[in-house]
Amino acid sequence: HLIPLNRASVRRIDRTGGTILRTSRTNPVNVNHNADLLKYRGIRLEGKTDLTEDVLKNLDRLEIDALVAIGGDDTLSYAVHLKNKGFPVVGVPKTMDNDVNGTEYCIGFSSAISRSLLMIDNLRTPMGSHERFGVIELFGRNAGFTALYAAYVSRGDRCVIPELDFDPDHLVSLLESDRDKNPSNYAIALVSEGAKPVGGQIIQGGKADQYGHLKLGGIGDWTAAYIEERTGYQTIVQRLGYFMRSGSPDALDKLVAGFFGNIAFDCIMEGDFGKLMSIIDGKYTTVPIEEVTSAKRIVDVKKFYNEERYRPRYKNMKGLPLFLK
């Protein structure tokens, strides 16, 4: 299960998507006794157990001097836990949701938006041909950055985000107006998977992962059904889901990932541990890794979202960094 990171093994990793090290949803602080890996090894635990001491023993056995934790707030929160146990760590924010506190940008976000825009533009073909409404559901559990930025770059589509419950009747009225004004007779709503109507609940289900998250998805179908019932028009609904995080990274993600990697290496060589790679005010920097757990990063509705029009705000952009904060 070891991959030496030498010139031969890393020479081409920036040319394709994914990870050569693979990924997981394991939370060593909260390991369930039914965890597949433990059952495979014949280990039985009662309830849920913190296996951090085993993690530290393995790091010592493998002669790992420092750990670079790459991921979202779940992964990075465990890095904070290891740091508090005295192990040298640095963190690199990587999540297409772009919701890690302490940085304006996370690796994967630009590629996800670029992929979403391509899909949205392609879906205009059947929507216009059949003169229908369209509902496109995007990833975004607690923060609506993906839907908001997709709406920024698609220009004109409505979007609903987790930070503000939406009125489905008002959304329908806006979409009807958009359709009437569109020579191609269609209109689109971009919907974060964590969004919910006023008085409703987030649609989720399945088995919770080790971080306690149920699987989200279904608000797009609910919204499409509501539009059809109200208008009588058929509505195309499409979940972009994993298409958003598929394929090769775009140029911006390659740029940021490379610079984050360089800065992380500098931190390790200088013994400057417990830091999160970060972009603040559009500039590369580092912040204490505890920033990850100090607050949740969500869309500032008052500054960046038009609550009446269910669209991003386009006014007063002067002076803002490239990635809004």
Side-chain angles (χ1 to χ4, degrees), residues 59-281:
L59 290 168
D60 180 65
R61 179 174 61 85
L62 296 170
E63 298 181 353
I64 293 176
D65 302 312
L67 186 67
V68 181
I70 308 173
D73 54 1
D74 288 331
T75 297
L76 295 172
S77 66
Y78 186 71
V80 173
H81 183 68
L82 283 180
K83 184 254 184 183
N84 292 336
K85 290 287 185 178
F87 194 83
V89 299
V90 294
V92 175
K94 181 194 70 67
T95 168
M96 51 160 287
D97 289 340
N98 207 42
D99 61 350
V100 171
N101 195 56
T103 181
E104 294 164 9
Y105 188 80
C106 304
I107 299 169
F109 182 60
S110 178
S111 298
I113 300 305
S114 298
R115 204 85 69 240
S116 298
L117 178 61
L118 176 63
M119 298 287 183
I120 292 166
D121 284 347
N122 286 344
L123 285 167
R124 296 184 193 279
T125 301
M127 291 176 189
S129 298
H130 297 284
E131 300 183 333
R132 294 179 180 174
F133 292 105
V135 175
I136 301 175
E137 183 179 311
L138 299 90
F139 276 150
R141 174 179 291 273
N142 299 312
F145 292 106
T146 51
L148 184 76
Y149 274 74
Y152 267 123
V153 296
S154 68
R155 293 286 174 175
D157 298 328
R158 308 292 172 173
C159 73
V160 293
I161 58 178
E163 290 85 348
L164 181 74
D165 294 353
F166 69 96
D167 178 347
D169 290 325
H170 184 51
L171 177 62
V172 169
S173 296
L174 292 171
L175 291 172
E176 287 179 319
S177 175
D178 291 345
R179 186 181 183 277
D180 290 341
K181 296 174 182 176
N182 188 340
S184 296
N185 297 319
Y186 74 89
I188 295 177
L190 308 179
V191 182
S192 290
E193 62 179 353
K196 66 181 187 297
V198 174
Q201 299 293 323
I202 294 175
I203 299 178
Q204 56 186 350
K207 183 180 178 182
D209 64 22
Q210 291 190 43
Y211 289 93
H213 301 315
L214 296 174
K215 189 174 183 62
L216 288 181
I219 186 60
D221 295 293
W222 184 94
T223 304
Y226 195 92
I227 293 170
E228 288 190 354
E229 182 180 349
R230 276 287 312 275
T231 67
Y233 284 101
Q234 285 188 307
T235 301
I236 296 173
V237 58
Q238 184 68 57
R239 292 190 198 180
L240 295 191
Y242 285 95
F243 284 115
M244 298 174 65
R245 57 173 51 161
S246 300
S248 300
D250 67 10
L252 181 58
D253 269 327
K254 286 187 177 184
L255 189 73
V256 175
F259 287 163
F260 275 177
N262 292 144
I263 299 169
F265 186 76
D266 289 342
C267 287
I268 292 172
M269 296 304 294
E270 295 165 5
D272 188 17
F273 299 111
K275 295 299 176 61
L276 175 73
M277 306 307 106
S278 176
I279 294 179
I280 301 293
D281 292 332

